[in-house]
Every structure is written in structure tokens, then in C-alpha cells.
Amino acid sequence: MLRLLDTATGETRPLEARESGEIGLYVCGPTVYGPPHIGHGRATLVYDILRRYLEWSGQVVRHVSNVTDIDDKIINVAVTEKRSWQDVAVGAEDTWWDAMDRMGVLRPHVVPHATEYIPEMVELVARLVEAEVAYETAEGVYLSVANVPGYGLLAHQSLDSLRAGARVEVNEDKRAPVDFALWKKAKPDEPSWPAPFGPGRPGWHTECVVMSLALLGDGFALHGGGEDLKFPHHENERAQAVALGQPFARHWIHHGMILLGQEKMSKSLGNIVDLRRMLEVHDPRAYRLVVLQGHYREQMKVDETRIADASRTLSGLDALGRRLEEAARDGGSAPPSPDVLDGFKEQMDADLGTPRAVATLFDAVRRANIALDRRETEVGVSLARGAMVGFDVLGLAPVGSAEVSDSALELARRRDAARASGDYAAADGLRDELVALGYRVEDTPSGTRVLR
RNA sequence: GGCGGCGUGGCCGAGUGGUUUAGGCAAGGGCCUGCAAAGCCCUGUACCCGGGUUCGAUUCCCGGCGCCGCCUCCA
């Protein structure tokens, strides 16, 4: 049973399915106005890993992750680039899924778009106004945070200390600086939807509360997102549900930010590493491994070296994959080692302890290689299979080598013949030719192995 | 100012009151190999500083120093 640290209470406790047996997981998705960066990559990988593990553990997961397709930032890009806001959103979303596919991230079961839920959002805002926790002004509708019991739960701060630290621009329109917009009335030429309080668009915090409750129902299991969304975004989502008396997420998790050098990577600092570029340069699994090697709640330093190191690690894993195939061909039939799987589960269940889980798996890799070196085939196969099951759950299944051309296979055959006849000069020449063609050459009991 | 986190061996990064004590990468030495590759083995006296608690602290407490994040859009 997976136990997770709940950032609302600070307790580590089991993630519980509801009566239906289903675990509702809501993760804040992208605002589609530009290409994704490696921080988005980490975020989606963390929840992808969580979901894969839950499903492998036999849980039924309903993974919902939204796309914010109407927002000030989208409008700004549209204006600057003289495109329609729809065009900006659709284009950026395509780019997003393309990158996610390349990372092997499973699509969420449901991907709601903000623009598909405007009537529901209008209704929620209207209910908040009716309940007198929200008020209308010339510019929009705001939630009066002071009227929400327990505001500050996620921030772990009292309302007073939040007030003291507020650095939001002074807005004469609002009653209090901490109040936030539920509905933004449209200015001329801005996209808008009709509402009783005047045409406009929803505030960001309203989107997520409406869509999560609409798709997962009151009291859904888990809400996740980046550390930077804890406050105010998640706090404000929660505030709306609380103000309406609706049970919201029962468990919250937040993942740590990416550090480049010594500081957080963020758009406002301009130190962005484009995810697509990174995926072009490295094995897409390498970044997933980097993410797994750090704990999800910790900040994580990322640089080229780390990703390249991870690529090397993976080539060792792939090598074991090849040995396993061969051993299986030679009759190795042992099932995955239960010890390895138990160790893996134990680590994963402890607040998604992927660094230790991965360590357990690599230890099994080493032991599998030892056993195979010693020709203890069944032991080796069992350990190797155990490791592979774990890596597969984490989305790191070994990849087969790329196509090897017929001419390369011919060179390999000639090399084997040369070696058999003791003509090592010829054999080494043939190996050099293969290397020059971009292949790697390994000797195995069954002859030359050629791979890309 | 408020809140939270971090400081571990060449690098990254887990973890723990003591004993065998991650894991990955890199380096040096070795085994294997016709030579390589792949694989395996060994090596490097790791826990920011100062106090305290303790039979014993890297791990707990207190105080420093340094760094990061949130309190504004942000994964």
C-alpha cells in the first residue's frame, strides 16, 4: 500500500481509494502558450510514475490533468504574434503532447480543457456570490479570502501572516490584497464568455476546482502539482470548494523544482531548458532516470552531465536486457525474483521512494550479471527479470538495438570466421570497419554481436 | 518580515543513533578476453561549523554560517 506525505497535514499516510475502488488523481496541467521546459518534464514524469506504479499495484486510477487553454498569457502571445488565441493554444498543446509522447508519458485518462467548462465555472462563481463569500467589482468577481475558514492550510500560514507578506500589486478594486479573481471581466477585444456578472473569462484557480470536482467528484483522492503551485493556486482552489461546503482533495502532494546551477529554473528568470531540445540530444529515458534518482519532493539540480551519466547507466541496463534475451533463448525460464520485486515495492510504498527503488533494481542488475557470468542461468534470469519488471513499471524498459544492416551482419559473419581460423588481424580489421559504420561490437558465446 | 527545505566521498544523489550499510557516473588498479567491448572485483579514510544530549551522532537538540524555494505569473 502506497503511503504518501500529505502536504496539507504533513503526515505520511496511505493513499486510499474510495468505496468504488477508484483513485481519483488530479494534476494541474499546462497553460498552453509556449513550448514545455524540463520542469514540465519532471512534473509529468513524477505523476506518470505514480500512476504507473499504482496501476501495477492493482489500483484503478482515474488520472485527470487539465489544459488551460484560455489565460492572460495566451492572449498576450496572440496579440504579440498577431495570431488568434485559439491558434496559440492549439499549437502549444500539440507541441506539449509531442514532447510527452517522446518521454513515454501515458496520456491522462481525461484531459479537460478550460474552455469546455465555462458554464460550470460561471455557475460556481455565481454560487460563491450568492453565498456572499465573493463580491463583484468593476473589473471582475473576487473571492473574499477572509470569509473562508481555514484559509492558509496548504501554505501553513495564518491569514495574518499571508497578509503581511503579500506582494501583490495594490489593486483598489479588491477589498483585500489576498483576495483573488474568480472571473475577469473582458476588456475591449478580449475573448469573453457570457455571465450574469458581465462577459469575461474565468480566473485560473476557478478552472481547476471546477474541472477536478466535475470529473472526479467531491472528496477525490489526490491532488498534485509543483511546489510553486501550493500557494496561491492550490490554496485558492481549495478555498472555493471550502466556501461552498464541498469536500475537496483528501490528499495533496507537491514535487520539487528544478535548479539550474544554484537557482530555480523559471520563466521569469529566463533560464529555461527546452524539453524538446533535451529530448533530441539524449535518450528520452535518461531524463526519466534522472528524475527517478532524486526524491520527488526535493529540489533537483539538472545539467547536461547528469543526463549524459544517466544515458550511460541505461546502456548497462540495455546490455543486461540483451543477455536476458539470450539466456531466455537458451532455455532460461525462471520467473522474476520475488525478493527483487518485494524490495522494489517496499521502497516505492515509502512515499514513492524512487531513488531507493531504483537502487534496489540496479543491485539486482549487478547480481544478475554475476550469475550469468557464472553460467547460473536460472538465478541470473530470475534476477534480471525482477529488475526488468521494476524498470518497466517505472517506464524504463530496455530498448532493442536499432536495425543492423545486412552488410554489417555479413561483416560480423566474416569476423567470426576470421577469429575461428585464428586470423586476428583480419578479425580486428572487420571490427574496425563495423565501428566506423557506427556500430558497437561485443563478443558473446554465440559470436559477434553488432548493435547501434 | 512570515513559512518551508537543503548543506553527504571527484560529481550527482539516498539514508541511518552504533554494527556490512544506498545507487548511478567518473578515476585508479585487477579479473575475464587472442586484443578489445560487455561483465565482474578491489581502492579512495563522506557526512558545513560550534556546542549539547548519549556509553556512542553524519543521524536527535540548540546556536552559527552558507544555499534554495514559496509568500506575484510559474511545473
Side-chain angles (χ1 to χ4, degrees):
Chain A
M1 165 76 71
L2 175 63
R3 297 166 60 83
L4 286 175
L5 185 120
D6 177 10
T7 43
T9 63
E11 298 167 341
T12 302
R13 51 189 169 79
L15 180 64
E16 283 166 23
R18 64 174 82 204
E19 314 74 62
S20 63
E22 186 178 87
I23 292 184
L25 166 64
Y26 188 88
V27 180
C28 289
T31 298
V32 280
Y33 69 102
H37 54 65
I38 60 174
H40 296 112
R42 181 185 193 183
T44 46
L45 285 168
V46 164
Y47 301 104
D48 182 63
I49 290 156
L50 171 65
R51 169 186 162 181
R52 285 168 181 265
Y53 180 65
L54 286 170
E55 291 182 341
W56 179 70
S57 306
Q59 306 270 16
V60 180
V61 180
R62 184 167 160 88
H63 176 197
V64 178
S65 190
N66 67 296
V67 168
T68 297
D69 59 349
I70 182 63
D71 178 90
D72 292 4
K73 291 192 286 287
I74 297 171
I75 296 171
N76 290 342
V77 171
V79 168
T80 320
E81 299 185 359
K82 296 191 164 53
R83 299 158 66 194
S84 74
W85 63 269
Q86 292 94 333
D87 189 49
V88 171
V90 169
E93 187 178 345
D94 285 349
T95 306
W96 172 270
W97 293 121
D98 180 54
M100 294 310 143
D101 288 348
R102 273 195 279 164
M103 287 200 300
V105 168
L106 300 172
R107 290 280 174 119
H109 299 105
V110 188
V111 180
H113 291 69
T115 54
E116 298 161 354
Y117 284 82
I118 307 272
E120 288 87 342
M121 296 177 201
V122 169
E123 196 217 316
L124 179 125
V125 176
R127 281 164 62 209
L128 287 165
V129 171
E130 204 173 310
E132 296 184 342
V133 285
Y135 56 90
E136 184 180 343
T137 71
E139 291 181 20
V141 180
Y142 297 91
L143 191 82
S144 175
V145 158
N147 295 340
V148 178
Y151 190 80
L153 177 81
L154 290 171
H156 294 291
Q157 297 230 62
S158 69
L159 184 54
D160 280 343
S161 51
L162 286 167
R163 280 196 188 106
R167 10 169 212 171
V168 276
E169 288 169 39
V170 177
N171 180 343
E172 297 297 329
D173 209 41
K174 291 197 283 189
R175 289 185 195 161
V178 282
D179 291 352
F180 61 92
L182 302 168
W183 188 258
K184 298 181 175 185
K185 293 184 181 174
K187 300 192 178 76
D189 297 325
E190 281 185 353
S192 70
W193 287 260
F197 15 82
R201 61 182 184 277
W204 181 39
H205 314 309
T206 299
E207 295 175 14
C208 285
V209 71
V210 165
M211 294 188 285
S212 58
L213 289 172
L215 289 159
L216 294 171
D218 287 3
F220 60 90
L222 181 65
H223 193 129
E227 190 86 61
D228 53 351
L229 298 187
K230 202 192 285 182
F231 188 92
H233 182 55
H234 289 163
E235 190 77 52
N236 289 350
E237 282 184 52
R238 186 179 169 275
Q240 294 169 78
V242 169
L244 292 172
Q246 287 185 258
F248 202 48
R250 287 175 298 163
H251 210 123
W252 291 86
I253 62 171
H254 293 93
H255 64 266
M257 301 289 100
I258 295 293
L259 260 40
L260 289 180
Q262 211 56 261
E263 62 187 2
K264 176 189 165 189
M265 180 182 74
S266 78
K267 287 170 189 169
S268 41
L269 292 168
N271 56 347
I272 299 299
V273 176
D274 191 295
L275 181 59
R276 297 167 305 169
R277 198 195 64 76
M278 196 271 290
L279 292 171
E280 274 160 22
V281 179
H282 301 281
D283 181 336
R285 294 176 303 158
Y287 188 50
R288 183 183 284 265
L289 178 57
V290 167
V291 167
L292 285 162
Q293 284 177 320
H295 188 85
Y296 74 91
R297 282 194 278 107
E298 299 298 333
Q299 295 177 157
M300 193 174 74
K301 281 184 257 184
V302 173
D303 57 36
E304 287 288 319
T305 310
R306 265 196 91 175
I307 302 171
D309 285 355
S311 300
R312 275 188 284 272
T313 309
L314 288 167
S315 65
L317 176 62
D318 292 344
L320 178 65
R322 294 189 295 272
R323 293 191 83 174
L324 175 58
E325 268 177 38
E326 258 164 37
R329 259 203 309 277
D330 295 346
S333 60
S337 157
D339 287 350
V340 172
L341 294 182
D342 287 348
F344 173 70
K345 277 187 244 182
E346 188 184 331
Q347 305 305 163
M348 290 295 283
D349 282 343
D351 197 20
L352 211 61
T354 59
R356 304 192 107 207
V358 163
T360 301
L361 263 24
F362 280 114
D363 187 57
V365 166
R366 197 190 85 256
R367 289 186 291 134
N369 275 313
I370 292 171
L372 293 171
D373 281 351
R374 290 184 187 154
R375 306 280 170 118
E376 293 166 4
T377 307
E378 294 300 348
V379 174
V381 165
S382 177
L383 288 166
R385 286 205 169 124
M388 293 307 166
V389 167
F391 283 120
D392 195 42
V393 170
L394 300 173
L396 288 175
V399 294
S401 53
E403 286 274 305
V404 176
S405 70
D406 289 342
S407 57
L409 289 174
E410 176 56 24
L411 291 173
R413 269 192 294 274
R414 284 166 53 196
R415 176 168 180 269
D416 284 338
R419 291 186 69 215
S421 62
D423 185 355
Y424 294 118
D428 290 352
L430 289 160
R431 180 168 61 197
D432 291 345
E433 278 189 60
L434 282 164
V435 169
L437 290 168
Y439 291 98
R440 281 166 48 207
V441 179
E442 292 177 5
D443 282 351
T444 74
S446 50
T448 298
R449 175 195 283 141
V450 184
L451 43 135
R452 279 279 186 199

